[in-house]
Amino acid sequence: MNKKLVSEFLNIVLGVILMTLGFYFFLLPEDLVIGGVMGLAVIFQTHINPTIIIYILNLSLLMLGLIILGKKFFIRTVFGSVASPVILSIIQLFKIEETLIMNQVTDSKLIIAALSGSILVGFGLGIVFRNGGTTGGMDIVQNIFHKKFHFPYQMIFYFTDGLIVVLSFIVFKNVELFIYAVASVFLTSLIVDNVSIKGRASQTMFIITHKPDLVKKAIYDTVDRGCTLIDSEGGYSGNKSKLIICTMNQREVYRMRSEFDIVAPEAFTFMTDTKEAVGRGFSKD
């Protein structure tokens, strides 16, 4: 097996483990909700085992993704959808209580839980995204709205997670818990950005290839970005080719790398940081 793929897979596994540990040992025992399927599991944990909630929601959304987004998306998402609940099942199989760590904390429990949980979840998600993976769950819903209705991904992310945090306030009726939850959402998002997409700066990819149609299709199908084609010629060889220019965020860059390895392994690709991107998909719908 390709060493790069093995490395990416192991990093994704590490990311999912960190995210799951942050959720189980810090967010869950203190009723902290930072959005997503795990947030819903926290809200309804008094009625249903959180692991069962995550299993049901992740698998249901996975099937929805298969129907709406297709087989390719399903294959890319299936591991992330089942990995986290499987890890939770293993932890519970060994009868390790979620309060194991927080029971040893006497002061400022919410602060410690919010910081520790956000850091672990943020780093975990960032590692997963950086290696082209996905954790499934609410990410599937966000992808459906992004691809089918062309809403900006960041707007969908804040809307869905924000809705779940507001739901937690309605259920728990605890202002202090709500404030810490909101702060945790922003801290997690900040860490994810810094680990996986280095803030909000975009990157512009330059791809020199003899297979422009395949590269274009890969860009459209994978990240739904536009691109520009320019005729190019090798300075030494004199060979004719196409230069494809495409601007995307860092998370999309990592997803495209593996696609280019498949459709145009001979392509020469380089990237530059783009300080500001204006237009559809960035500052406009």
Side-chain angles (χ1 to χ4, degrees):
M1 188 182 290
N2 187 295
K3 288 184 178 180
K4 181 183 176 184
L5 290 177
V6 171
S7 175
E8 287 178 349
F9 175 76
L10 292 176
N11 277 310
I12 289 171
V13 171
L14 173 63
V16 173
I17 291 173
L18 290 176
M19 177 191 73
T20 306
L21 293 178
F23 162 75
Y24 188 76
F25 288 113
F26 295 102
L27 303 181
L28 185 61
E30 296 303 316
D31 290 334
L32 277 169
V33 174
I34 61 172
V37 166
M38 286 183 169
L40 293 173
V42 173
I43 293 172
F44 299 108
Q45 65 172 310
T46 55
H47 304 288
I48 308 175
N49 185 304
T51 303
I52 295 175
I53 296 176
I54 294 172
Y55 263 123
I56 293 172
L57 290 177
N58 274 8
L59 292 177
S60 299
L61 290 171
L62 186 62
M63 291 301 106
L64 183 65
L66 174 62
I67 294 169
I68 298 178
L69 300 175
K71 184 179 178 181
K72 185 177 179 182
F73 179 86
F74 174 85
I75 293 171
R76 188 171 62 84
T77 310
V78 65
F79 174 77
S81 297
V82 300
S84 184
V86 165
I87 293 169
L88 286 173
S89 297
I90 293 171
I91 293 173
Q92 292 178 337
L93 184 65
F94 286 96
K95 298 182 179 179
I96 303 173
E97 294 292 333
E98 68 267 22
T99 56
L100 176 67
I101 296 176
M102 293 309 300
N103 275 349
Q104 300 178 53
V105 178
T106 55
D107 297 319
S108 307
K109 280 194 170 187
L110 273 179
I111 294 177
I112 291 172
L115 286 175
S116 302
S118 299
I119 290 170
L120 283 172
V121 172
F123 267 98
L125 283 172
I127 292 170
V128 170
F129 294 155
R130 191 180 188 90
N131 288 274
T134 175
T135 56
M138 205 56 65
D139 190 42
I140 297 172
V141 176
Q142 293 158 357
N143 270 280
I144 290 172
F145 276 92
H146 177 64
K147 288 186 177 294
K148 295 300 179 181
F149 303 104
H150 304 293
F151 293 143
Y153 191 88
Q154 203 72 8
M155 182 189 80
I156 304 166
F157 172 80
Y158 282 121
F159 176 76
T160 54
D161 282 359
L163 205 59
I164 293 170
V165 172
V166 170
L167 177 62
S168 74
F169 176 66
I170 295 171
V171 172
F172 296 134
K173 296 180 175 63
N174 186 317
V175 175
E176 184 182 22
L177 205 57
F178 175 72
I179 292 171
Y180 276 103
V182 172
S184 296
V185 169
F186 282 101
L187 178 58
T188 302
S189 177
L190 181 65
I191 293 170
V192 170
D193 280 352
N194 279 277
V195 174
S196 67
I197 59 176
K198 297 178 183 176
R200 301 194 179 197
S202 300
Q203 289 215 339
T204 298
M205 300 188 77
F206 298 83
I207 308 105
I208 300 173
T209 178
H210 297 290
K211 300 176 181 177
D213 292 335
L214 292 177
V215 172
K216 275 196 306 179
K217 188 175 187 305
I219 293 172
Y220 297 154
D221 291 347
T222 306
V223 296
D224 189 30
R225 293 291 186 190
C227 59
T228 301
L229 274 67
I230 301 174
D231 291 328
S232 64
E233 179 180 332
Y236 177 77
S237 66
N239 293 333
K240 305 289 185 182
S241 57
K242 289 285 186 181
L243 170 63
I244 300 175
I245 304 172
C246 182
T247 298
M248 60 189 75
N249 64 47
Q250 191 73 34
R251 180 179 174 184
E252 292 168 339
V253 167
Y254 290 120
R255 290 169 60 188
M256 286 310 308
R257 281 178 175 172
S258 57
E259 293 297 322
F260 291 156
D261 288 341
I262 296 170
V263 301
E266 89 298 339
F268 176 75
T269 304
F270 63 97
M271 290 168 282
T272 61
D273 289 328
T274 302
K275 186 175 181 181
E276 183 178 10
V278 178
R280 179 183 174 271
F282 292 96
S283 62
K284 299 178 182 178
D285 293 349

